[in-house]
Amino acid sequence: MRLLIIEDETELAKTLKIGLSKLGFAVDTAYDGLTGEDKALINDYDIIILDLNLPNKDGINICKTLRNQGLEASIIMLTARDSVLDKTHGLDSGADDYLIKPFAFEELRARIHALVRRTYRKSNPIISIGKLTINPLSKVVTYNDKEITLTAKEFDILEYMAIKHPEVISTEDILEHVWDENVDYFSNVVRVHLANLRKKLKNESGSPLIETVKGKGYRLCSNSKQE
């Protein structure tokens, strides 16, 4: 999943980026309100972590602008304010969740995963598609109860495809959600990783569990047939 952190405390933003990146998230950062708002409107994020007090434009007004523009990304608002009124202002402006500073990183991680499940209507934290299971917390993938060893980026791609299942996912979709803003959109990095995934993910008959849908992209399924 791809995240945007809008936080003017640079050390906190950098620490969160490091921690969330280690968990497999693609993370972009912005250190003021207007820059963060621009990035949120330009890029396709799954989660936005938004500080309330920011230079140039505060979190409440950013949140209102993003919702007025039709942005559907989940927003977690960060603030040192803990009054009921401050919380309701944040939620009423369009935020999905509220976290009071200082907070435990593990709580933020849990809230992010909960919002991802809610967004993609996945009630169970472990994703199952036929005999394939993906555990986003342990990073373990099994097929027919046999564990499959994947690289970190292969897992990220598979997790995104599993969350979006049964949709067809384009190369551009994968780049937008699995890599951060530094990715080279003209590279063949997605095709290379998908080729490796197709070799590792096969059903009992030897067919890949990732379909190539001509002219559209890729789809994860339990029994693969080429279209």
Side-chain angles (χ1 to χ4, degrees), residues 102-114:
F103 54 85
F105 178 78
E106 189 61 21
E107 182 179 3
L108 174 63
R109 191 277 311 157
R111 288 173 183 263
I112 289 171
H113 278 114

Side-chain angles (χ1 to χ4, degrees), residues 24 41 50 55 63 81 155 157 159 166 176-178 183 186 191 196 200 216 220 224:
L41 292 171
L50 175 62
C63 199
R81 305 175 187 175
F155 181 91
I157 294 172
E159 180 187 12
E176 279 281 344
H177 289 268
V178 180
V183 67
F186 296 100
R191 290 181 177 85
N196 292 332
K200 296 179 180 181
K216 296 181 180 180
L220 183 64
S224 181

Side-chain angles (χ1 to χ4, degrees), residues 116-131:
V116 170
R117 291 197 303 272
R118 185 191 308 169
T119 299
Y120 294 106
R121 296 181 177 87
K122 305 291 183 182
S123 57
N124 193 326
I126 298 177
I127 306 169
S128 296
I129 301 170
K131 298 178 181 180

